[in-house]
Amino acid sequence: MFWIPRTRELIGLTTNFELGYWLRERDRLIYGRPDDAYRVDYLDVLWVKDLERNPRGDRTIYRTLPDTVDAALRLVGSLV
């Protein structure tokens, strides 16, 4: 699960690399970020573009932390 509440003060650019790395496990990933997250356009494009390569994963970009956690719990439940 990736929850990315990026701000101007907390840019977290390593997250770009980490999300890209874990996209190889796309069918086991959940991605979320608040609507006001700073400079996440690249991650959104990467998430959507990767669907062309691996359409099995979750297509949603979650907008709240509770929704992101719920989706991750549903995914875990489906893998057990």
Side-chain angles (χ1 to χ4, degrees):
M1 180 186 103
F2 281 83
W3 173 249
I4 306 172
R6 190 174 282 169
T7 66
R8 287 181 180 266
E9 294 78 30
L10 180 63
I11 293 180
L13 294 179
T14 304
T15 304
N16 292 1
F17 173 81
E18 292 168 342
L19 181 61
Y21 176 83
W22 285 106
L23 277 176
R24 64 192 176 148
E25 303 282 341
R26 173 60 185 248
D27 54 332
R28 298 180 350 169
L29 281 183
I30 300 296
Y31 167 53
R33 54 138 182 102
D35 285 333
D36 63 349
Y38 179 69
R39 295 181 66 185
V40 292
D41 296 338
Y42 172 75
L43 297 176
D44 290 354
V45 168
L46 182 65
W47 186 257
V48 172
K49 184 74 174 160
D50 187 67
L51 284 170
E52 295 171 8
R53 184 184 62 81
N54 186 359
R56 296 178 306 165
D58 191 327
R59 299 170 180 272
T60 307
I61 298 173
Y62 294 92
R63 307 294 182 170
T64 69
L65 181 56
D67 288 346
T68 307
V69 171
D70 287 344
L73 291 173
R74 283 191 305 273
L75 177 61
V76 168
S78 72
L79 296 174
V80 179

